[in-house]
Each structure stands twice: as C-alpha cells, then as structure tokens.
C-alpha cells in the first residue's frame, strides 16, 4: 500500500487539551482515526474500515505543519545531544542548545543539518513563527464559560495510505469537522493533497531495527514489542483519556487511560503498535484507539 499526503486547510478550531480554555495547534493520529471511524459508521462501512486499518501497512501520522510548500517534522527528542562533548562546548553552541529548546517543528529539508548541530536555529525559528494564534471566546448564558479557539495560519498535513475508502471518509470528514465545539462552526476544513517527495518517502518506515528513527504518530508498542523498543529510546509520554458514550447506557463513561510516546520520540528499534480497545468496564461495544507507529529515518 503506497503512501500519500492529505492537506487540511482550517480556519478556526478547538483541539482540546483537557479543558475548554485550552486548544492545541494540531491533532494526533488517534483523534483523526476516531473521527474517520464515526464517518464510516454513518455509511455502514465501519467493519471494512477497521479491517483495512488493521493491516500492517496502514499507517497515519499526526497532523503536522505545511508552510509555503514545505513539510515540517517534529523536533527529534534527544538530538542533537549538545552535552556529548561537554569539554568542547563553546558559548555559541550553548546559545544554540538553549534556542533549540523553543523549537517545536523543523522543515524536513533542514533536519539533517539540524541533527549535525550546524544549523542556524534562528533561521528555523523564523520559519515556524506565526503558524497559529489562540483566542478566547466567552460563551454567554446562565453560566458563562470561556473557550480557547486556535486560528491556523498554515495548512496541516497528514501522511496516510493510498486507499479508496479512506479518501471517501476524508471527503466526508471535512464537512463534519474535527475537534470540539463543531456545533459552533469550528473544525471544518478544506481537503487537498500534494505529492509525497520521493526523498521524503524513502525515509518513512513502519517497522525496523538498528537505525535511528523518529516517531511521527503519537502511539505505543504492543506488549511484546515494548522491551525491545525501549532500548536506546529517547521519548516523552502523553496521557490520552476521555469519555465514551453509548445510546444503550445513556451516559458518559470514562475510557481506559492510554500512555503513549509523542511524535518526535526517537528509537533505535521501531515498533508496529496496534489499534487497541479502550472501552470502559462493562461497556457494550469496543472503543477503538489508534496506536500504530509511523517512523522517519534520521541520518546522524
């Protein structure tokens, strides 16, 4: 199954970060998968979609910035390691290490230079300025409350398989929207696509070992993959939680918590991951959480 790139042009969104008063810049692969699964239910294709998504070569990335024709990637966690040669670190290198902490994303064409420690951090930083802004909207009523709204100044892109059903679901999803507060008009997007550069594609991998890779999809290994994947890994964890609703229960129940490696985590031994059921106890049907890995090979 080949890979492609979807582009998503949003205006205002609410990608919740746990509270209504916070909103993130982008969204994870698991959030996208959940939204696509709901679209599949509407057209009675949920079983087909789950079957296709469970195949080894079906992968999704988190949403990442696409600015002026340039793909951005997460900043690799743990690299470059400016402390490897503490005795030789110059004042300029210390400034560069401090400046790099403020980076979230790096243009993919700059990544090798960045890993070598020779890049101009200011040049990269300028490219990620003004990608988005966050405003706060007060909802009036008996109990007024504040909602954080993200205004995107760039496109987002998602790496995905070339798949007819997925194309159909993405077309439908642009009208349903992604994220919270959709009834207020947030989260709708215009779907597009761009060619996946061959040099970019050549460095994408689902699973492998022995080479340094960077995770592009917030995910977690299967239990049998965990020990090997942890060897030499540099990572941050993110807790995914929330509530599930079923008409048969008529109330919200808390899903099982999932702790995942965030995009940008680096591994010597990458992993496949899976789609896991995080349904609450005694819940009448599965609640699927997409947790498969997609990796980008780093040259270092």
């Amino acid at each position: 199954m080949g890979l492609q790139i979807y582009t998503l042009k949003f205006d205002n969104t609410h990608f919740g970060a746990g509270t209504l008063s916070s909103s993130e810049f982008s969204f994870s692969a698991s959030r996208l998968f959940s939204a696509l699964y709901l679209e599949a239910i509407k057209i009675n294709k949920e079983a087909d979609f789950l079957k296709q998504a469970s195949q080894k070569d079906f992968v999704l990335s988190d949403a990442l910035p696409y600015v002026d024709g340039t793909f951005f990637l997460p900043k690799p966690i743990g690299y470059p390691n400016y402390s490897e040669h503490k005795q030789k670190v110059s004042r300029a290198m210390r400034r560069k290490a401090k400046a790099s902490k403020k980076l979230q994303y790096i243009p993919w064409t700059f990544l090798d230079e960045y890993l070598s420690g020779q890049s101009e951090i200011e040049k990269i930083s300028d490219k990620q300025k003004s990608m988005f802004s966050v405003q706060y909207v007060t909802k009036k009523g008996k109990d007024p409350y504040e909602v954080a709204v993200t205004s995107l100044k760039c496109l987002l892109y998602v790496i995905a398989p070339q798949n007819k059903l997925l194309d159909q679901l993405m077309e439908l999803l642009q009208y349903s929207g992604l994220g919270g507060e959709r009834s207020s008009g947030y989260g709708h997007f215009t779907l597009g696509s761009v060619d996946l550069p061959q040099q970019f594609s050549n460095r994408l991998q689902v699973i492998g070992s022995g080479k340094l890779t960077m995770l592009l999809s917030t995910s977690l290994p299967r239990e049998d993959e965990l020990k090997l994947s942890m060897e030499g890994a540099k990572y941050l964890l993110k807790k995914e939680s929330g509530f599930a609703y079923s008409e048969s229960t008529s109330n919200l129940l808390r899903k099982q918590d999932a702790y995942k490696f965030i995009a940008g985590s680096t591994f010597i031994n990458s992993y496949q991951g899976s789609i896991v059921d995080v349904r609450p106890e005694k819940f009448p049907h599965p609640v699927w959480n997409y947790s498969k890995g997609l990796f980008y090979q780093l040259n270092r």
Side-chain angles (χ1 to χ4, degrees), residues 226-244:
L226 182 59
K227 184 176 180 180
L228 182 62
S229 65
M230 291 296 291
E231 294 179 3
K234 299 180 187 298
Y235 58 88
L236 291 174
L237 292 175
K238 177 182 180 180
K239 177 183 175 181
E240 285 192 356
S241 57
F243 294 88

Side-chain angles (χ1 to χ4, degrees), residues 15 89 101 109 115 253 268 278:
F15 298 137
V89 174
K101 292 180 180 180
T109 51
L115 289 170
L253 296 174
I268 301 297
V278 293

Side-chain angles (χ1 to χ4, degrees), residues 22-249:
S22 60
S23 181
E24 297 181 333
F25 166 59
S26 65
F27 53 87
S28 67
S30 62
R31 173 171 282 183
L32 175 61
F33 180 85
S34 296
L36 291 168
Y37 190 79
L38 291 176
E39 294 301 317
I41 290 174
K42 294 177 185 177
I43 59 173
N44 297 315
K45 293 288 184 69
E46 66 271 26
D48 289 344
F49 180 55
L50 185 61
K51 181 179 179 180
Q52 293 181 30
S54 298
Q55 295 176 11
K56 184 177 179 180
D57 56 357
F58 185 103
V59 289
L60 294 171
S61 72
D62 287 5
L64 298 165
Y66 182 63
V67 184
D68 297 331
T70 298
F71 302 108
F72 280 67
L73 291 171
K75 181 179 69 173
I77 293 176
Y79 299 93
N81 186 354
Y82 292 103
S83 64
E84 281 183 340
H85 308 288
K86 289 185 177 180
Q87 303 302 320
K88 300 179 181 179
V89 174
S90 66
R91 183 177 297 177
M93 191 172 289
R94 283 195 293 270
R95 285 199 302 269
K96 186 175 290 188
K98 185 176 180 179
S100 70
K101 292 180 180 180
K102 299 178 181 179
L103 294 177
Q104 288 182 279
Y105 302 100
I106 297 171
W108 78 280
T109 51
F110 283 46
L111 192 56
D112 289 344
E113 185 181 279
Y114 174 78
L115 289 170
S116 72
Q118 303 303 312
S119 60
E120 297 180 35
I121 301 296
E122 295 78 9
K123 195 173 182 180
I124 297 174
S125 182
D126 287 344
K127 287 183 176 292
Q128 72 173 25
K129 287 179 179 177
S130 305
M131 286 182 177
F132 71 99
S133 61
V134 177
Q135 293 86 35
Y136 298 91
V137 177
T138 300
K139 299 289 185 177
K140 297 180 180 179
K142 184 177 179 181
D143 297 307
Y145 60 95
E146 193 173 66
V147 176
V149 178
T150 302
S151 296
L152 276 81
K153 312 300 183 184
C154 66
L155 302 182
L156 298 179
Y157 77 92
V158 173
I159 303 168
Q162 295 174 348
N163 180 293
K164 289 184 179 179
L165 178 55
L166 183 58
D167 287 344
Q168 182 182 8
L169 297 177
M170 288 293 292
E171 286 281 351
L172 294 171
L173 183 59
Q174 66 180 325
Y175 303 110
S176 299
L178 261 169
E181 297 293 304
R182 293 193 300 277
S183 61
S184 299
Y186 303 136
H188 301 287
F189 61 90
T190 302
L191 182 67
S193 64
V194 293
D195 292 335
L196 179 61
Q198 191 61 48
Q199 287 181 307
F200 190 107
S201 178
N202 290 343
R203 293 172 70 168
L204 294 172
Q205 65 179 63
V206 177
I207 185 170
S209 61
K211 294 183 178 180
L212 182 64
T213 60
M214 177 173 65
L215 184 61
L216 299 185
S217 57
T218 299
S219 57
L220 74 161
R222 301 190 310 261
E223 187 173 349
D224 62 300
E225 297 175 307
L226 182 59
K227 184 176 180 180
L228 182 62
S229 65
M230 291 296 291
E231 294 179 3
K234 299 180 187 298
Y235 58 88
L236 291 174
L237 292 175
K238 177 182 180 180
K239 177 183 175 181
E240 285 192 356
S241 57
F243 294 88
Y245 174 80
S246 173
E247 291 182 358
S248 61
T249 61

